[in-house]
Amino acid sequence: MRRLIPVAILVLLPVTLLAPADRGRPGVRPLVGLALFLLLAGFPGVVLAEKDALEARVHSLAAELRCPVCQNLSVADSPSEMARQMRDLIRERLRQGERPEAVKAYFVERYGEWILLLPPPRGFPLLAWIAPFLGLVGGLAGSFLLLRRWVKRSPGTAPEVDPAYLARVRRDMEERKNG
Amino acid sequence: MATVGHWSLLLGLGLSLYGMLAAWLGARRESPAGAASARAAVVGLFLLVTIGMAILEWALLTDDFGLRYVALNSSRGTPILYKISALWGALEGSLLLWEWLLAGFAVVVVLLYRARHPDLLPYVIVVLLAVSAFFLGLMAFFSSPFEQMSPIPADGRGLNPLLENPGMAFHPPTLYLGYVGFTIPYAFAMAGLLRGKLDADWIGSTRRWTVTAWYFLSMGILFGAWWSYRVLGWGGYWAWDPVENASLLPWLTGTAFLHSVMIQERRGMFKVWNLSLIILTFALTLFGTFLTRSGILSSVHAFAGSPAIGTSFLAFIALVLLVSFGLVAIRSDRLKAPVELDSMLSRESAFVLNNVILLAATFSVFFGTVYPLLSEALRGVKASVGAPFFTLVNFPILVVLLLLMGVGPLIAWRRASPDNLKRNFLLPALGALAAGLLIIVFGYRDPRVVLILILSAFVLGTMTLDLSRGVRARRTTDGGTLPALRSLMARNRRRYGGFIVHLGVVVLFVGIAGSAGYGRQLEQTLTPGETLELGHYRVRFEGLSAAEASSHFRVTGAFTLFNDTHQVARLETAKLYYPRDQQPMAEVAIRSTWREDFYLVMTDFARDGTSATVKAMVNPLVGWIWWGGGIITVGTLYALLPNRRRKPAQPRGTR
């Protein structure tokens, strides 16, 4: 029975979206359709359960370290033997109560800064963090100022529509509706 | 044969240079003879490069190991499909493929636009042939696919086993179609600048090229992701590898271009901006090739490169940027357009914001990609920038982009009145919030995923609202809801094709959000008969077997997958040992359903067959990413079809 629900939603979705809305309350149907869509999107979320806390910490730390023998994979993702040993090492150290920062520092000492997939937020590597931020903020500020200047420059009104033309459009539309 | 191939490249180079000259003279003196001769040169070039392609492909198919390229990238045991695809399996061949596509496109351009743009075409030819000359020069002097080898080896080294996959057979050509496709709008833009006639004509005439190029680039990227997911065995589809990033960069600027040209068409503004975007996009396609081929960054894609190739690429990119932006500067007096804007709240502003956001993404991805180079050059420290950085930096950008996808298509041009805003966005916003509550109730807690889903709902809501309004207005005349929808969409295929593409992008983002936020994994060593449990799955290890295949030795682990209640599938995952590679390759087993993938890969095994170590993953919603790609395909095709013509209206009254 539970398996049928998504199928039913899939079938119902387009129908509800396109069905005529009540005259008094335009757009109620799309709302229903939307809610149904998200039911659909939310459905798989039910599967989840909590992760083992230690495994989760191992994973998130390993995800920030680069696998030394692979092409650009993290220790968490890499299927290589080396990465597995590193994961075991991380697990062991975390289990002994070592702080994640200390574990990271251990790897940096052995392999250099290269091992970190996230540049540390101090010194020169801080640049890697600031630059994209500056790019975004600069772009936004610049375009905001530019837009404001253009708005100021413009006369500010949309061109007037000729009333006679408007009347003709209305008449044509009426005719179309009736014909 | 090799000599013929080499000469076809040299002749092609000569013909490119001659064609440039002829086209230029033809355009300047406005002599039809020069232009005609240049057109003939384009066709001749295509024939010559085709001969080169045919020779290389023939050599691959007939195991002619006298050619160095064949010896290094193919072998007698290589299956036919991969003998064919070995053509783009390494540097020299992929350059040849690129050049061949470029020459082919140039022929199509000549045929299509000869009558329509007789004055512009010679300049277009100049630009296209200049690019072609660069690639031919590169092959002729630095990395010829026709280099010979002696003594002739008895067998070839074989294709890189990672590339022996259908995804890899399609990924490079698709990507190249995208890359090369963007050369065409670029060439038209430059042609307009060279000629000095700078209306929006070039945008209109190249719209289909741009859309097509964008499409192939998108699909190329998706094929790559698909390959990565199925072949690399790490359970993900996007590693923020430098070369993946390099393909994303022109996609981002190309997407920006695709949107911002609409302002120029409609309002005549942003001429310089649009020119800059297409120049940037073209330069970034070259940059992508440069990164792949030069090997300056470590990457799954890095071919053994030679420094000469890298230097030539850098020089060419610099030249392209210098000449292109120089031209823009020279013509800047003619590019001034009366920019006027009625309100900060308008479709125009939404487009501007879209562009700013996409370019910010471009910049951050670019910066993250080259940061290791910077770090090494400036302070001599090797550094890495990886997936956690890119996801962190790009997440806010993605959020704004999604929001704009909802707002952009509906907000009024010129000035959006409060009433207009309320009419268009109140309901979708409320709906999205309600949906958000629902999502939380359903168990999604990760705030980032919830945000993306809420915004996706908002985008869907706005599109639905717009469509249902249009349908309601037409229903009586068209006789029913579905005919009304069909005729509404057919009237403006560009707009509604865009809607479908947006829908595909939303589905894709939902897939990314689900798989990034809620993936689960477990690694365990199993003895035969033992079971691993992950979520509502159980997987039982049945045993190991070994076999010798034509090009490799394989060790296969057999598993049975159970659901809560019953047996679902038999899965086989293997480790493949290729003689040319130290590291074995993993062959993964994937069981896909619409809501999640069960992904199994064997990471290790005991030689006596008593145990196997496997990594099991549950990746939610990954399928949605590929379906998103499918929807994008449909939308693109729809947008490319010509609009349905209205019946000619009866002349009525006077003007």
Coordinates of all heavy atoms in Angstrom, one line a residue, chain A residues 17-18 20 34 37-39 44 47-48 59 66 72-73 76-77 81 84 87 113-114 116-118 124-125 128 131-132 136 140 144 147 150-151 153-154 156 175, chain B residues 234 241-242 270 298-299 339 341 344 353 356 360 363-364 371 379 382 384-386 388-389 415 435 442 457 460 464 475 481 518 521 523 595 604 613 615 621 652:
Chain A
L17 N -2.5 20.3 -10.9 CA -1.9 21.6 -11.3 C -2.7 22.3 -12.3 O -2.7 23.5 -12.4 CB -0.5 21.3 -11.8 CG 0.5 20.8 -10.7 CD1 1.9 20.7 -11.3 CD2 0.5 21.7 -9.5
L18 N -3.3 21.5 -13.2 CA -3.9 22.1 -14.4 C -5.4 22.2 -14.3 O -6.0 22.9 -15.1 CB -3.5 21.3 -15.6 CG -2.0 21.4 -15.9 CD1 -1.6 20.4 -17.0 CD2 -1.5 22.8 -16.2
P20 N -9.0 23.5 -13.3 CA -9.5 24.9 -13.1 C -9.6 25.2 -11.6 O -10.0 24.4 -10.8 CB -10.9 24.8 -13.7 CG -11.3 23.4 -13.7 CD -10.0 22.6 -13.9
L34 N 1.6 21.7 -5.2 CA 2.9 21.9 -4.6 C 3.1 21.1 -3.4 O 4.1 20.4 -3.3 CB 3.0 23.4 -4.2 CG 3.9 24.2 -5.0 CD1 3.9 25.6 -4.5 CD2 5.3 23.6 -4.9
F37 N 3.8 17.7 -4.4 CA 5.1 17.5 -5.0 C 6.1 17.3 -3.8 O 7.0 16.4 -3.9 CB 5.6 18.7 -5.8 CG 7.1 18.6 -6.0 CD1 7.5 17.8 -7.0 CD2 7.9 19.3 -5.3 CE1 8.9 17.7 -7.2 CE2 9.3 19.2 -5.5 CZ 9.8 18.4 -6.5
L38 N 5.9 18.1 -2.8 CA 6.9 18.0 -1.7 C 6.7 16.8 -0.9 O 7.7 16.2 -0.3 CB 6.9 19.3 -0.9 CG 7.8 20.1 -1.8 CD1 7.3 21.5 -1.9 CD2 9.2 20.0 -1.4
L39 N 5.5 16.3 -0.8 CA 5.3 15.0 -0.2 C 6.2 14.0 -1.0 O 6.9 13.2 -0.4 CB 3.8 14.5 -0.5 CG 2.9 14.7 0.7 CD1 1.5 14.5 0.3 CD2 3.2 13.6 1.7
P44 N 11.4 10.1 0.6 CA 12.6 9.2 0.9 C 13.2 9.6 2.2 O 14.0 8.9 2.7 CB 13.5 9.5 -0.3 CG 13.0 10.7 -1.0 CD 11.6 10.8 -0.7
V47 N 13.6 7.4 5.4 CA 14.5 6.2 5.6 C 15.6 6.5 6.6 O 16.2 5.6 7.1 CB 15.2 6.0 4.2 CG1 15.9 4.7 4.2 CG2 14.2 6.1 3.1
L48 N 15.7 7.7 7.0 CA 16.9 8.1 7.8 C 16.9 7.6 9.2 O 15.9 7.5 9.8 CB 17.1 9.6 7.7 CG 16.9 10.1 6.3 CD1 16.8 11.6 6.3 CD2 18.1 9.6 5.5
H59 N 34.2 10.2 9.8 CA 33.9 10.5 8.4 C 34.1 12.0 8.1 O 34.7 12.4 7.1 CB 32.4 10.1 8.1 CG 32.1 10.3 6.7 ND1 32.4 9.4 5.7 CD2 31.5 11.3 6.0 CE1 32.0 9.8 4.5 NE2 31.4 11.0 4.7
R66 N 43.1 14.9 2.4 CA 43.3 14.4 1.1 C 44.0 13.0 1.1 O 44.9 12.8 1.9 CB 44.2 15.4 0.3 CG 44.4 15.0 -1.1 CD 45.5 16.0 -1.7 NE 45.4 15.8 -3.1 CZ 45.2 16.8 -3.9 NH1 45.0 18.0 -3.5 NH2 45.2 16.7 -5.2
N72 N 43.0 13.3 -6.1 CA 42.0 14.2 -5.7 C 40.7 13.6 -5.1 O 39.6 14.0 -5.3 CB 41.5 15.0 -7.0 CG 41.5 16.5 -6.7 OD1 42.2 16.9 -5.8 ND2 40.6 17.2 -7.3
L73 N 41.0 12.6 -4.2 CA 39.8 12.1 -3.4 C 40.1 12.4 -2.0 O 41.3 12.4 -1.6 CB 39.6 10.7 -3.7 CG 38.8 10.3 -4.9 CD1 38.7 8.8 -5.0 CD2 37.5 10.9 -5.0
A76 N 38.0 10.1 3.2 CA 36.7 9.5 3.5 C 36.2 8.7 2.3 O 35.5 7.7 2.4 CB 35.7 10.6 3.9
D77 N 36.4 9.3 1.1 CA 35.8 8.7 -0.1 C 36.7 7.7 -0.8 O 36.2 6.8 -1.5 CB 35.6 9.9 -1.2 CG 34.5 10.8 -0.7 OD1 33.6 10.3 -0.1 OD2 34.5 11.9 -1.1
E81 N 43.8 1.4 -0.1 CA 44.3 0.7 1.1 C 44.8 1.8 2.1 O 44.5 1.8 3.3 CB 45.5 -0.2 0.6 CG 46.1 -1.0 1.7 CD 45.1 -2.0 2.3 OE1 44.3 -2.5 1.6 OE2 45.2 -2.3 3.6
R84 N 42.2 3.6 3.9 CA 41.6 2.8 4.9 C 42.4 2.8 6.2 O 41.9 3.0 7.3 CB 41.4 1.4 4.4 CG 40.1 0.8 5.0 CD 39.9 -0.6 4.4 NE 41.2 -1.3 4.4 CZ 41.3 -2.6 4.8 NH1 40.2 -3.2 5.2 NH2 42.4 -3.2 4.8
R87 N 41.9 6.1 7.9 CA 40.6 6.1 8.6 C 40.7 5.4 9.9 O 40.2 5.8 10.9 CB 39.5 5.5 7.7 CG 39.0 6.4 6.6 CD 37.7 5.9 6.0 NE 37.8 4.7 5.3 CZ 38.1 4.5 4.0 NH1 38.2 5.6 3.3 NH2 38.1 3.3 3.5
E113 N 50.9 20.9 4.5 CA 49.6 21.6 4.4 C 48.7 21.0 3.2 O 47.5 21.0 3.2 CB 49.8 23.1 4.1 CG 48.6 24.0 4.3 CD 49.0 25.4 3.9 OE1 49.9 25.9 4.5 OE2 48.3 26.0 3.1
W114 N 49.5 20.4 2.3 CA 48.9 19.8 1.1 C 47.8 18.8 1.5 O 46.8 18.6 0.7 CB 50.0 19.1 0.4 CG 49.6 18.3 -0.8 CD1 49.4 18.8 -2.1 CD2 49.4 16.9 -0.9 NE1 49.0 17.8 -2.9 CE2 49.0 16.7 -2.2 CE3 49.4 15.9 0.0 CZ2 48.7 15.4 -2.7 CZ3 49.1 14.6 -0.4 CH2 48.8 14.4 -1.8
L116 N 45.5 19.0 3.6 CA 44.2 19.6 4.0 C 43.4 20.0 2.8 O 43.9 20.7 1.9 CB 44.4 20.8 4.9 CG 45.1 20.6 6.3 CD1 45.3 21.9 6.9 CD2 44.2 19.7 7.1
L117 N 42.2 19.5 2.7 CA 41.3 19.9 1.6 C 40.7 21.3 1.8 O 40.2 21.9 0.9 CB 40.3 18.9 1.3 CG 40.8 17.6 0.7 CD1 39.7 16.5 0.6 CD2 41.3 17.8 -0.7
L118 N 40.6 21.7 3.1 CA 40.1 23.0 3.4 C 41.3 23.8 3.8 O 42.0 23.5 4.8 CB 39.1 23.0 4.6 CG 37.7 22.7 4.3 CD1 36.9 22.5 5.6 CD2 37.0 23.9 3.6
F124 N 48.5 33.0 4.9 CA 48.3 33.1 3.5 C 47.0 32.3 3.0 O 46.3 32.9 2.2 CB 49.5 32.5 2.8 CG 49.4 32.6 1.3 CD1 49.8 33.8 0.6 CD2 49.0 31.5 0.5 CE1 49.7 33.8 -0.8 CE2 48.9 31.6 -0.8 CZ 49.2 32.8 -1.5
P125 N 46.8 31.1 3.5 CA 45.6 30.4 3.0 C 44.3 31.1 3.3 O 43.3 30.8 2.7 CB 45.6 29.1 3.8 CG 47.0 28.9 4.2 CD 47.6 30.3 4.5
A128 N 42.4 32.2 0.3 CA 41.5 31.4 -0.4 C 40.0 31.6 0.1 O 39.1 31.4 -0.7 CB 41.9 29.9 -0.3
A131 N 39.0 35.7 -0.9 CA 38.9 36.1 -2.4 C 37.4 35.8 -2.9 O 36.8 36.7 -3.4 CB 39.9 35.4 -3.2
P132 N 36.9 34.6 -2.7 CA 35.6 34.4 -3.3 C 34.5 35.3 -2.6 O 33.6 35.8 -3.3 CB 35.3 32.9 -2.9 CG 36.6 32.3 -2.7 CD 37.5 33.4 -2.2
L136 N 32.1 38.0 -4.5 CA 30.7 38.0 -4.4 C 30.2 39.3 -3.9 O 29.3 40.0 -4.5 CB 30.2 36.9 -3.5 CG 28.7 36.8 -3.3 CD1 28.0 36.4 -4.6 CD2 28.3 35.8 -2.2
L140 N 28.1 42.1 -6.0 CA 26.8 42.5 -5.5 C 26.8 44.1 -5.3 O 25.9 44.8 -5.8 CB 26.4 41.8 -4.2 CG 26.0 40.4 -4.4 CD1 25.7 39.8 -3.0 CD2 24.8 40.3 -5.3
F144 N 24.8 46.7 -7.6 CA 23.7 47.5 -6.9 C 23.9 49.0 -7.2 O 23.0 49.7 -7.6 CB 23.8 47.3 -5.4 CG 22.8 48.0 -4.6 CD1 21.5 47.6 -4.5 CD2 23.1 49.2 -3.9 CE1 20.5 48.4 -3.8 CE2 22.2 50.0 -3.2 CZ 20.9 49.5 -3.2
L147 N 23.0 49.7 -10.8 CA 21.6 49.6 -11.1 C 21.0 50.9 -10.5 O 20.1 51.5 -11.2 CB 21.0 48.4 -10.3 CG 21.2 47.1 -11.0 CD1 20.6 46.0 -10.1 CD2 20.5 47.0 -12.3
W150 N 21.5 53.8 -12.9 CA 20.6 53.7 -14.0 C 19.2 54.0 -13.7 O 18.5 54.7 -14.5 CB 20.7 52.3 -14.6 CG 22.0 51.9 -15.2 CD1 22.9 52.8 -15.7 CD2 22.5 50.6 -15.4 NE1 24.0 52.1 -16.2 CE2 23.8 50.8 -16.0 CE3 22.1 49.3 -15.2 CZ2 24.6 49.7 -16.4 CZ3 22.9 48.3 -15.5 CH2 24.2 48.5 -16.1
V151 N 18.8 53.6 -12.6 CA 17.4 53.9 -12.2 C 17.2 55.5 -12.1 O 16.3 56.1 -12.5 CB 17.0 53.3 -10.9 CG1 15.7 53.8 -10.4 CG2 16.9 51.8 -11.0
R153 N 18.9 57.7 -13.5 CA 19.1 58.4 -14.8 C 17.8 58.3 -15.7 O 17.6 59.2 -16.5 CB 20.2 57.7 -15.6 CG 20.8 58.5 -16.7 CD 21.6 57.6 -17.6 NE 22.8 57.2 -17.1 CZ 23.6 56.3 -17.6 NH1 23.2 55.7 -18.7 NH2 24.7 55.9 -17.0
S154 N 17.0 57.2 -15.4 CA 15.9 57.0 -16.3 C 14.8 58.0 -16.0 O 14.6 58.5 -14.9 CB 15.4 55.6 -16.2 OG 14.4 55.5 -15.2
G156 N 11.8 57.4 -15.6 CA 11.0 57.0 -14.5 C 9.6 56.5 -14.8 O 8.9 55.9 -14.0
E175 N -14.0 40.3 -29.0 CA -14.5 39.6 -30.3 C -14.0 38.2 -30.3 O -14.7 37.2 -30.6 CB -14.0 40.3 -31.5 CG -15.0 41.4 -31.9 CD -14.4 42.2 -33.1 OE1 -13.6 41.7 -33.8 OE2 -14.7 43.4 -33.1
Chain B
W234 N 34.0 5.5 -5.7 CA 34.1 6.2 -4.4 C 32.7 6.6 -3.9 O 32.6 7.2 -2.9 CB 35.1 7.4 -4.4 CG 34.7 8.5 -5.4 CD1 34.8 8.4 -6.8 CD2 34.2 9.7 -5.2 NE1 34.4 9.5 -7.4 CE2 34.0 10.4 -6.4 CE3 33.8 10.4 -4.0 CZ2 33.5 11.7 -6.5 CZ3 33.3 11.7 -4.1 CH2 33.1 12.3 -5.3
D241 N 37.2 18.1 -8.8 CA 38.5 17.9 -9.4 C 38.8 19.1 -10.3 O 37.9 19.6 -10.8 CB 38.4 16.6 -10.2 CG 39.7 16.2 -10.9 OD1 39.9 16.7 -12.0 OD2 40.5 15.5 -10.3
P242 N 40.1 19.5 -10.4 CA 40.4 20.7 -11.2 C 39.8 20.6 -12.5 O 39.3 21.7 -13.0 CB 41.9 20.7 -11.2 CG 42.4 19.9 -10.1 CD 41.3 18.9 -9.7
F270 N 23.3 46.5 -22.3 CA 24.4 45.5 -21.9 C 25.1 44.9 -23.1 O 25.5 43.7 -23.1 CB 23.7 44.3 -21.1 CG 23.1 44.8 -19.8 CD1 22.1 44.0 -19.3 CD2 23.5 45.9 -19.2 CE1 21.5 44.4 -18.1 CE2 22.9 46.3 -18.0 CZ 21.9 45.6 -17.5
S298 N 47.2 18.1 -10.5 CA 47.0 16.7 -10.4 C 45.5 16.4 -10.5 O 44.7 17.1 -9.9 CB 47.6 16.1 -9.2 OG 46.6 16.0 -8.2
S299 N 45.1 15.5 -11.3 CA 43.7 15.3 -11.6 C 43.5 13.9 -12.2 O 44.4 13.4 -12.8 CB 43.3 16.4 -12.5 OG 42.2 15.9 -13.4
V339 N 21.4 53.1 -21.5 CA 20.9 52.2 -20.4 C 19.9 53.0 -19.6 O 20.2 54.0 -19.0 CB 22.1 51.8 -19.5 CG1 21.6 50.9 -18.4 CG2 23.1 51.0 -20.3
L341 N 16.8 52.2 -16.6 CA 16.1 51.2 -15.8 C 15.1 52.0 -15.0 O 15.3 53.0 -14.5 CB 17.2 50.6 -14.8 CG 17.1 49.2 -14.5 CD1 17.1 48.3 -15.7 CD2 18.2 48.8 -13.6
M344 N 14.5 49.2 -9.4 CA 15.4 48.1 -9.0 C 14.7 46.8 -8.9 O 15.3 45.7 -9.0 CB 15.9 48.4 -7.5 CG 16.7 49.7 -7.4 SD 18.3 49.5 -8.1 CE 19.2 48.8 -6.7
L353 N 21.3 40.3 -11.5 CA 21.7 39.6 -10.3 C 22.1 38.2 -10.6 O 23.1 37.6 -10.1 CB 20.5 39.6 -9.3 CG 20.9 39.2 -7.9 CD1 21.9 40.1 -7.3 CD2 19.6 39.2 -7.0
V356 N 25.6 38.4 -11.9 CA 26.6 38.6 -10.8 C 26.8 37.3 -10.0 O 28.0 36.9 -9.8 CB 26.1 39.7 -9.8 CG1 26.9 39.8 -8.6 CG2 26.0 41.0 -10.5
A360 N 30.2 35.3 -9.8 CA 30.8 35.0 -8.5 C 31.1 33.6 -8.3 O 32.2 33.2 -7.8 CB 29.9 35.5 -7.3
F363 N 34.1 32.9 -10.4 CA 35.4 33.4 -9.7 C 35.8 32.5 -8.6 O 37.0 32.1 -8.5 CB 35.1 34.8 -9.2 CG 36.3 35.4 -8.5 CD1 37.5 35.7 -9.2 CD2 36.3 35.6 -7.2 CE1 38.6 36.2 -8.6 CE2 37.4 36.1 -6.5 CZ 38.6 36.4 -7.2
S364 N 34.8 32.1 -7.7 CA 35.3 31.3 -6.6 C 35.8 29.9 -7.0 O 36.7 29.4 -6.5 CB 34.1 31.2 -5.6 OG 33.1 30.4 -6.1
Y371 N 44.3 28.1 -6.7 CA 44.9 28.4 -5.5 C 46.2 27.6 -5.2 O 47.2 28.1 -4.8 CB 43.9 28.4 -4.3 CG 44.6 28.5 -3.0 CD1 45.0 29.7 -2.5 CD2 44.9 27.3 -2.2 CE1 45.6 29.8 -1.3 CE2 45.6 27.4 -1.0 CZ 45.9 28.6 -0.5 OH 46.6 28.7 0.7
R379 N 54.6 31.1 -2.2 CA 55.3 30.9 -0.9 C 55.9 29.5 -0.8 O 56.4 29.1 0.2 CB 54.4 31.1 0.3 CG 53.1 30.3 0.1 CD 52.2 30.5 1.3 NE 51.2 29.4 1.3 CZ 50.8 28.8 2.3 NH1 51.2 29.1 3.5 NH2 49.9 27.8 2.2
K382 N 53.1 23.5 -1.0 CA 52.1 22.8 -1.7 C 50.8 22.8 -0.9 O 50.8 22.6 0.3 CB 52.5 21.3 -1.9 CG 53.5 21.1 -3.0 CD 53.6 19.6 -3.3 CE 54.3 19.4 -4.6 NZ 53.9 18.4 -5.4
S384 N 46.3 22.3 -1.0 CA 45.1 21.7 -1.7 C 43.9 22.5 -1.4 O 43.8 23.1 -0.3 CB 44.9 20.2 -1.2 OG 46.0 19.5 -1.3
V385 N 43.0 22.5 -2.4 CA 41.7 23.0 -2.1 C 40.7 21.9 -2.6 O 40.8 21.6 -3.8 CB 41.4 24.3 -2.8 CG1 40.0 24.7 -2.7 CG2 42.3 25.4 -2.2
G386 N 39.9 21.4 -1.8 CA 39.1 20.3 -2.2 C 37.6 20.5 -2.0 O 37.1 21.6 -1.7
P388 N 35.3 20.1 0.3 CA 34.6 20.8 1.4 C 34.6 22.3 1.2 O 33.7 23.0 1.4 CB 35.5 20.4 2.6 CG 36.3 19.3 2.3 CD 36.4 19.2 0.8
F389 N 35.8 22.8 0.6 CA 35.9 24.2 0.4 C 34.8 24.7 -0.7 O 34.1 25.6 -0.5 CB 37.3 24.5 -0.1 CG 37.4 26.0 -0.6 CD1 37.7 27.0 0.4 CD2 37.3 26.3 -1.9 CE1 37.8 28.3 0.0 CE2 37.5 27.6 -2.3 CZ 37.7 28.6 -1.4
R415 N 9.4 47.6 -14.5 CA 9.1 47.9 -13.1 C 8.1 47.0 -12.5 O 7.0 46.7 -13.1 CB 8.5 49.3 -13.0 CG 8.0 49.8 -11.7 CD 7.2 51.0 -11.8 NE 8.1 52.2 -12.1 CZ 8.8 52.8 -11.3 NH1 8.8 52.5 -10.0 NH2 9.5 53.8 -11.7
A435 N 5.4 23.8 2.3 CA 6.1 22.6 1.9 C 7.3 22.4 2.8 O 7.6 21.3 3.2 CB 6.6 22.8 0.5
F442 N 8.6 15.5 7.7 CA 8.9 14.2 7.1 C 10.3 13.7 7.5 O 10.7 12.7 7.0 CB 8.8 14.2 5.6 CG 7.5 13.7 5.1 CD1 6.5 14.5 4.7 CD2 7.4 12.3 5.0 CE1 5.3 14.0 4.3 CE2 6.2 11.8 4.5 CZ 5.1 12.6 4.2
A457 N 10.7 24.2 -4.2 CA 9.2 24.2 -4.2 C 8.8 25.6 -4.7 O 7.8 25.7 -5.5 CB 8.7 24.0 -2.8
L460 N 9.1 25.7 -8.5 CA 8.0 25.0 -9.1 C 6.7 25.7 -9.0 O 5.8 25.7 -9.9 CB 7.8 23.6 -8.5 CG 9.0 22.6 -8.7 CD1 8.7 21.3 -8.1 CD2 9.2 22.5 -10.2
T464 N 4.2 26.8 -12.0 CA 2.9 26.3 -12.1 C 1.9 27.4 -12.1 O 0.9 27.4 -12.9 CB 2.6 25.5 -10.8 OG1 3.7 24.6 -10.6 CG2 1.3 24.7 -11.0
R475 N -8.4 28.4 -22.0 CA -9.1 27.1 -22.1 C -10.4 27.1 -22.9 O -10.7 26.2 -23.6 CB -9.4 26.7 -20.6 CG -9.5 25.2 -20.5 CD -9.6 24.7 -19.1 NE -10.5 25.6 -18.4 CZ -10.3 26.1 -17.2 NH1 -9.2 25.9 -16.6 NH2 -11.2 26.9 -16.6
T481 N -8.3 21.8 -21.1 CA -7.1 22.2 -20.4 C -5.8 21.8 -21.2 O -4.9 22.6 -21.4 CB -7.1 21.5 -19.0 OG1 -8.2 22.0 -18.4 CG2 -5.8 21.9 -18.3
Y518 N 22.2 13.3 2.9 CA 21.7 12.1 3.6 C 22.3 10.8 3.2 O 21.8 9.7 3.4 CB 20.2 12.1 3.5 CG 19.5 13.1 4.3 CD1 19.1 14.3 3.7 CD2 19.5 13.0 5.6 CE1 18.6 15.3 4.4 CE2 18.9 14.0 6.4 CZ 18.5 15.2 5.8 OH 18.0 16.1 6.6
Q521 N 27.1 5.5 4.9 CA 28.0 4.4 4.4 C 28.5 3.6 5.6 O 28.5 4.1 6.7 CB 29.1 5.0 3.6 CG 29.9 6.1 4.3 CD 31.0 6.6 3.4 OE1 31.8 5.7 3.0 NE2 31.1 7.9 3.2
E523 N 31.7 0.5 6.2 CA 32.8 -0.4 5.7 C 32.9 -1.5 6.6 O 33.0 -1.3 7.8 CB 34.1 0.4 5.5 CG 35.1 -0.3 4.7 CD 36.3 0.6 4.4 OE1 36.4 1.7 5.0 OE2 37.0 0.2 3.5
R595 N 14.1 6.3 -5.2 CA 14.4 7.2 -4.1 C 15.8 7.0 -3.5 O 16.3 7.9 -2.8 CB 13.4 6.9 -2.9 CG 13.3 5.5 -2.4 CD 12.6 5.6 -1.1 NE 11.9 4.3 -0.8 CZ 11.4 4.1 0.4 NH1 11.5 5.0 1.3 NH2 10.9 2.9 0.6
D604 N 38.8 -4.6 -0.6 CA 39.9 -5.5 -0.3 C 39.3 -6.9 -0.2 O 38.1 -7.1 0.0 CB 40.6 -5.0 1.0 CG 42.0 -5.6 1.1 OD1 42.4 -6.1 0.0 OD2 42.7 -5.4 2.1
T613 N 36.5 -7.2 2.1 CA 36.1 -5.9 2.8 C 35.3 -5.1 1.8 O 35.7 -4.9 0.6 CB 37.3 -5.1 3.2 OG1 38.2 -6.0 4.0 CG2 37.0 -3.9 4.0
K615 N 32.6 -1.7 1.0 CA 32.1 -0.4 1.4 C 30.7 -0.3 0.9 O 30.5 -0.5 -0.4 CB 32.9 0.7 0.9 CG 32.8 2.0 1.6 CD 34.0 2.9 1.2 CE 33.7 4.4 1.6 NZ 34.7 5.3 1.1
L621 N 18.3 9.7 -3.6 CA 17.9 10.6 -4.7 C 19.0 10.8 -5.8 O 18.9 11.7 -6.6 CB 17.6 12.0 -4.2 CG 16.4 12.0 -3.1 CD1 16.1 13.4 -2.8 CD2 15.2 11.3 -3.6
R652 N -7.5 44.0 -40.5 CA -8.8 44.5 -39.9 C -8.6 46.0 -39.6 O -7.7 46.4 -38.9 CB -9.0 43.8 -38.6 CG -10.3 44.1 -37.9 CD -10.1 43.7 -36.4 NE -10.0 42.3 -36.3 CZ -11.0 41.5 -36.0 NH1 -12.2 41.9 -36.0 NH2 -10.8 40.2 -35.9

